[in-house]
């Protein structure tokens, strides 16, 4: 169809449809950016919790005295309020100790942010 009177352009309906498509695309992009920011924060917290678990494990190795049983200690790292729960038990063969450390956020009832397990020889 030829334009009337030499005028060319888009109809109002075409412009509204284009704006609706752009609005949907922009809302999807904003949602994805929000999810990426949130998952980045969780990953950062988990990484810091793993560092706390490794630090607690190093402390236990240096202490040398490894009392069997469960113990919870505060192991804050920067802005994160963390609680390290350690479990020390004899391993199956009897010559080793199994040490497990779980790190929790003290401000939330949530699954552990990090877990770390190892076997150590019993101190003489």
């Amino acid at each position: 169809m030829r334009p009337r009177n030499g005028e060319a352009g888009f109809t109002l309906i075409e412009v509204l449809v284009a704006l609706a498509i752009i609005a949907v695309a922009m809302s999807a992009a904003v949602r994805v950016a929000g999810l990426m920011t949130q998952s980045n924060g969780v990953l950062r917290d988990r990484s810091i919790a793993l560092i706390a678990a490794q630090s607690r494990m190093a402390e236990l190795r240096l202490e040398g005295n490894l009392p069997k049983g469960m113990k919870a200690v505060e192991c804050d790292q920067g802005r994160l309020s963390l609680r390290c729960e350690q479990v020390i038990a004899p391993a199956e063969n009897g010559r080793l100790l199994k040490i497990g450390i779980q790190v929790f956020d003290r401000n939330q009832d949530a699954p552990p942010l990090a877990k770390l397990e190892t076997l150590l020889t019993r101190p003489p």
Side-chain angles (χ1 to χ4, degrees), residues 12-23:
L12 180 60
I13 297 295
E14 291 171 331
V15 171
L16 291 176
V17 168
L19 287 175
I21 291 171
I22 291 171

Side-chain angles (χ1 to χ4, degrees), residues 46-65:
R46 287 182 178 268
S47 297
I48 292 172
L50 183 58
I51 291 170
Q54 292 170 336
S55 296
R56 184 66 193 147
M57 188 70 74
E59 288 173 13
L60 290 171
R61 286 182 175 147
L62 290 173
E63 286 176 10
N65 181 19

Side-chain angles (χ1 to χ4, degrees), residues 46-124:
R46 287 182 178 268
S47 297
I48 292 172
L50 183 58
I51 291 170
Q54 292 170 336
S55 296
R56 184 66 193 147
M57 188 70 74
E59 288 173 13
L60 290 171
R61 286 182 175 147
L62 290 173
E63 286 176 10
N65 181 19
L66 301 172
K68 294 178 192 73
M70 189 246 184
K71 181 180 178 183
V73 295
E74 293 179 3
C75 55
D76 297 341
Q77 296 287 319
R79 65 169 185 79
L80 281 179
S81 299
L82 301 174
R83 180 182 78 248
C84 292
E85 292 183 0
Q86 67 188 42
V87 177
I88 301 174
E92 291 79 23
N93 69 3
R95 294 190 325 241
L96 299 173
L97 290 174
K98 182 178 179 181
I99 301 174
I101 297 176
Q102 293 185 335
V103 181
F104 296 89
D105 188 342
R106 284 190 297 163
N107 299 326
Q108 299 177 1
D109 272 342
L113 292 171
K115 294 180 181 179
L116 190 61
E117 290 186 353
T118 192
L119 293 172
L120 291 178
T121 56
R122 286 181 178 228

